[in-house]
Amino acid sequence: MAGWFASAGEKPYRLKQLKDWYFKRPEVKSFQELANFPKALREKLERDFAFLSLSLEEAKLAPDGSKKQTLLLRDSLVTETVTMPMDGYHTVCLSTQVGCPVGCRFCFSGRHGLKRNLTAGEMADSLRCSLPPSGAESLNLVIMGMGEPFYNYEALKTFLNICKDGFGVGSRRVTVSTVGVLAGIERFAADFPQMNLAVSLHAPREELRRTLIPRAPSEIRELLPALKKYFAATKRLVTFEYAMIGDVNDSLREAKELCELLKGFDCKINLIPLNEVPEGDFSPSEKENSERFVDYLKGRGMNVTVRHSLGGKVGGACGQLADRRNGDVPKKS
Ligand code: SAH
Ligand code: SF4
């Protein structure tokens, strides 16, 4: 943009003004609304650029206060974001891809494979559409929507830098969740040592994990050392995500194996009650099984929390985000 302003014969302060409009005035949606720009400049900008790369197609408000937004991209695909009010903070959950190539068996987001990566601009625009009224200061950003963030690392990196330097999001308030892309974990430690990392584990042994995540990018025996290295480099506790799936990974056997696996590693475990997805093969854990699981882990001194899932009523909970419009639910083959 700096180059464009210079070649259009405009003063450098126009760039600063444009940034202020973009980052500080999320209600502004077009060049026409830039009140301190002359009409001719607004028109020139409009001719050469799109102010936003997406538009709001639908917003659904759930009774729990969370909001799912479906955003229409220029090629008619959609991305979804979820905003959740939590403890005085607004948590915004963003996607990094349209679809997902990993195809975890309990997740709707990966049901149709990968359509394409989101660009950094599309991610920034989807954050901009989801900012709380109070602005970025009260924001928690979780990159836990559709897609595997570390399979789109370059765009993710650009976007996270825009979050810090443009929107003013505090690094410690950002969490990226990965299914275990080792190269991404290493780069993330070097590029964003103050941000948080969550890793989808879901099973304490390889063969069970493979049945749930058939295209897992790494094996547990490689993942653990990589995460220990991450912790040594950043001193930030890794959070292991573990979806509680009825009679699949929620028995005492898995609880014991999980303790054994993570023994001596300073980390957090976040148990996620399984959210129902269309045509899903799995059901959530029975209450007594998940309680027994939690009690066992707590009894062994593990740092364990249970995720309070929001957005389920509007298809906005973990694993429910889709790459298709509502109503276009895939038919059973
Ligand atoms: N692709 C990344 C980030 C997005 S998914 C990853 O897998 O980590 C965010 C979290 O939601 C992951 O831990 C994922 O395993 C979990 N999840 C997916 N489907 C779910 C479902 N149906 N119920 C509960 N959690 C689910
Ligand atoms: Fe992809 Fe994550 Fe869903 Fe697995 S859980 S299919 S990695 S989005």
Side-chain angles (χ1 to χ4, degrees):
M1 287 310 295
W4 186 91
F5 279 118
S7 62
E10 292 293 335
K11 296 275 182 317
Y13 67 78
R14 290 289 180 207
L15 181 61
K16 157 96 177 62
Q17 287 178 328
L18 183 63
K19 282 186 176 171
D20 284 348
W21 284 111
Y22 182 81
F23 290 116
K24 297 186 184 150
R25 300 286 300 273
E27 73 284 6
V28 167
K29 300 272 193 295
S30 73
F31 289 116
Q32 286 311 330
E33 294 166 70
L34 312 189
N36 54 1
F37 279 35
K39 188 160 181 280
L41 178 58
R42 294 198 305 251
E43 281 170 2
K44 260 198 272 180
L45 281 163
E46 200 148 58
R47 199 187 55 215
D48 285 4
F49 302 102
F51 191 77
L52 291 176
S53 57
L54 42 76
S55 57
L56 179 64
E57 186 180 78
E58 190 180 28
K60 279 190 178 173
L61 202 61
D64 59 25
S66 61
K67 184 167 79 169
K68 180 171 86 162
Q69 297 194 113
T70 304
L71 303 168
L72 181 64
L73 303 164
R74 267 185 271 161
D75 55 5
S76 297
L77 292 171
V78 296
T79 181
E80 298 192 315
T81 71
V82 184
T83 316
M84 300 158 273
M86 268 181 192
D87 315 325
Y89 279 90
H90 264 80
T91 298
V92 173
C93 177
L94 289 188
S95 303
T96 51
Q97 298 184 309
V98 183
C100 179
V102 183
C104 300
R105 283 184 53 211
F106 47 85
C107 174
F108 193 51
S109 302
R111 197 58 64 82
H112 303 283
L114 175 69
K115 298 261 167 67
R116 70 168 171 88
N117 284 331
L118 289 179
T119 65
E122 286 168 336
M123 290 182 230
D125 285 347
S126 46
L127 173 59
R128 192 173 183 270
C129 288
S130 315
L131 285 175
S134 44
E137 303 83 64
S138 61
L139 186 76
N140 264 328
L141 181 59
V142 298
I143 313 297
M144 293 189 183
M146 196 175 4
E148 167 48 47
F150 290 164
Y151 278 158
N152 187 14
Y153 193 87
E154 275 311 313
L156 175 77
K157 180 176 170 180
T158 306
F159 165 66
L160 292 177
N161 280 321
I162 293 172
C163 287
K164 281 194 320 185
D165 306 338
F167 289 107
V169 180
S171 287
R172 284 164 195 271
R173 307 225 68 95
V174 178
T175 303
V176 177
S177 173
T178 179
V179 70
V181 180
L182 301 181
I185 293 170
E186 204 175 324
R187 293 185 69 184
F188 185 66
D191 293 334
F192 303 103
Q194 294 187 327
M195 292 187 179
N196 304 293
L197 182 68
V199 175
S200 296
L201 186 63
H202 304 312
R205 56 182 189 278
E206 189 58 33
E207 125 264 349
L208 176 59
R209 190 166 188 261
R210 281 277 147 194
T211 63
L212 299 172
I213 316 174
R215 289 188 289 281
S218 56
E219 292 188 10
I220 296 174
R221 64 180 173 86
E222 316 165 279
L223 188 54
L224 254 282
L227 294 172
K228 286 179 181 165
K229 217 168 125 192
Y230 168 88
F231 179 62
T234 62
K235 296 283 170 288
R236 302 210 55 82
L237 292 188
V238 171
T239 299
F240 286 99
E241 294 161 292
Y242 194 104
M244 295 293 285
I245 310 178
D247 299 325
V248 171
N249 65 356
D250 62 346
S251 74
L252 216 44
R253 173 181 174 193
E254 280 81 35
K256 283 179 185 160
E257 288 176 351
L258 191 58
C259 285
E260 195 54 37
L261 181 73
L262 301 180
K263 200 169 60 187
F265 183 31
D266 210 359
C267 62
K268 297 188 254 191
I269 301 170
N270 190 218
L271 302 176
I272 317 176
L274 187 80
N275 296 304
E276 307 268 10
V277 303
E279 298 166 43
D281 301 333
F282 300 116
S283 47
S285 289
E286 298 290 339
K287 193 162 177 271
E288 56 270 32
N289 290 349
S290 56
E291 281 173 0
R292 188 182 54 189
F293 200 93
V294 174
D295 289 346
Y296 186 88
L297 295 182
K298 285 194 172 152
R300 298 293 174 291
M302 307 299 276
N303 182 350
V304 57
T305 50
V306 179
R307 185 173 298 178
H308 177 50
S309 260
L310 291 174
K313 288 267 184 301
V314 291
C318 303
Q320 293 182 330
L321 299 187
D323 54 2
R324 334 185 122 213
R325 320 287 174 77
N326 292 306
D328 189 11
V329 172
K331 305 272 177 306
K332 239 189 182 111
S333 53

